[in-house]
Amino acid sequence: MLTETPAEIGFVEVAPENWIGVGGARRRALDQILERYPLVCHGLSLNIGGPTPLDHDFLKALKHFLDRNDVRIYTEHLSFCGDTGQLYDLMPIPFTEEAVHYVAQRIRQVQDVLGRRIGMENVSTYALPQGELSEVDFLNAVLEEADCGYHLDINNIFVNAMNHGFDPYEYLAAIPAERILYAHIAGHYEEAPDLRIDTHGEDVLPEVWAMLDDAYARYGVFPTLLERDFNIPPLDTLRREIAMILEAQKRAENADEHVA
Ligand SMILES: [Fe+2]
């Protein structure tokens, strides 16, 4: 538990699934954190691309949680993670026109129930089902048809570029920029030059930091979370990486002032 309030931290992110219905000491601990920081929610089990109907009981509980905790940003993965059961992996949706319509109408349903605009995140993939569109064209088509926000994951673009052989900067130039709500940056594991695993268990690579600079320079700054799920280093190391995000934001803002 945090016993101090590091100045580098501007907000905290939780998976709402881990907190819905939680009370007692754990909830009191979360409340203490929320006295100091705004809350962003990034979900795990919406299963937006899955074949089964959306879980409306879950959506109602989620709405209650988002309202009760004054959550301004809620995002999910543009993927599927279950059929009748729940997987702990984020599976790729086929990049087809049919899937664009299917996923977009499900996002609209979610936004209707939650009474707010949500953000969808581009995910890492290792093998792709057959499709007609590129990943970034699929992303643009879904977000446009659903009229939802975009959760930009910089590391996932880099991982996919290495795994599938495309230029990450071309992707970055083609994202639905006016829809960006929020971003993630993370480290990943290099199994081979063309097989990167999105582990969130390593330091962020210099190439991925460079992409964050490019994204801020192109589109301005937006709230950005450092994802670190295991191999957790000492807090000072994490604080240094968070400080690097803030430095990148300052660089972009200063460059903007020079242009103006
Ligand atoms: Fe992410």
Side-chain angles (χ1 to χ4, degrees), residues 8 213 216 221 242-258:
E8 302 91 331
D213 273 330
Y216 287 155
V221 304
I242 294 169
M244 285 173 72
I245 295 173
L246 298 182
E247 284 159 20
Q249 292 179 337
K250 276 204 200 95
R251 271 196 300 280
E253 283 166 350
N254 290 341
D256 265 358
E257 277 167 25
H258 285 308

Side-chain angles (χ1 to χ4, degrees), residues 67-79:
D67 289 346
R68 175 185 167 191
N69 295 291
D70 195 23
V71 174
R72 311 285 166 82
I73 300 176
Y74 166 69
T75 70
E76 253 283 357
H77 303 89
L78 188 55
S79 67

Side-chain angles (χ1 to χ4, degrees), residues 20-233:
I20 289 170
V22 170
R26 281 186 67 207
R27 176 66 220 197
R28 284 196 296 280
L30 179 63
D31 284 337
Q32 277 178 16
I33 291 175
L34 298 188
E35 281 167 16
R36 286 177 274 172
Y37 300 109
L39 181 64
V40 170
C41 280
H42 183 48
L44 296 168
S45 62
L46 191 58
N47 192 21
I48 203 70
T52 44
L54 293 166
D55 180 344
H56 280 262
D57 290 340
F58 166 67
L59 288 176
K60 276 185 219 142
L62 177 61
K63 177 176 169 39
H64 179 72
F65 183 85
L66 299 178
D67 289 346
R68 175 185 167 191
N69 295 291
D70 195 23
V71 174
R72 311 285 166 82
I73 300 176
Y74 166 69
T75 70
E76 253 283 357
H77 303 89
L78 188 55
S79 67
F80 82 96
C81 60
D83 186 354
T84 50
Q86 169 82 33
L87 295 170
Y88 292 96
D89 282 305
L90 303 168
M91 308 294 287
I93 300 168
F95 301 146
T96 64
E97 291 290 346
E98 189 186 358
V100 168
H101 304 317
Y102 178 74
V103 174
Q105 57 85 15
R106 282 165 68 95
I107 295 171
R108 283 183 175 273
Q109 278 184 55
V110 172
Q111 295 189 134
D112 285 348
V113 175
L114 298 182
R116 69 191 76 211
R117 192 179 224 209
I118 69 172
M120 297 307 296
E121 182 191 34
N122 56 289
V123 298
S124 293
T125 54
Y126 309 99
L128 289 174
Q130 210 147 26
E132 303 142 4
L133 303 169
S134 70
E135 179 184 330
V136 76
D137 286 349
F138 178 76
L139 174 77
N140 273 284
V142 170
L143 272 54
E144 179 70 29
E145 192 167 316
D147 193 19
C148 69
Y150 176 40
H151 172 164
L152 163 63
D153 190 306
I154 303 270
N155 179 61
N156 290 352
I157 295 176
F158 184 82
V159 163
N160 286 0
M162 297 302 107
N163 290 351
H164 304 300
F166 61 79
D167 179 346
Y169 286 91
E170 272 181 27
Y171 188 122
L172 206 47
I175 60 174
E178 67 294 344
R179 296 185 181 277
I180 299 173
L181 297 176
Y182 182 53
H184 277 170
I185 189 164
H188 66 264
Y189 179 69
E190 184 176 347
E191 179 90 32
D194 61 352
L195 180 54
R196 311 296 182 109
I197 314 290
D198 180 29
T199 55
H200 304 170
E202 316 284 332
D203 294 349
V204 179
L205 249 57
E207 297 94 314
V208 177
W209 284 119
M211 286 179 64
L212 183 67
D213 273 330
D214 187 74
Y216 287 155
R218 281 175 189 276
Y219 305 126
V221 304
F222 28 78
T224 304
L225 179 92
L226 174 69
E227 293 188 289
R228 187 75 184 229
D229 295 340
F230 81 105
N231 269 345
I232 307 284

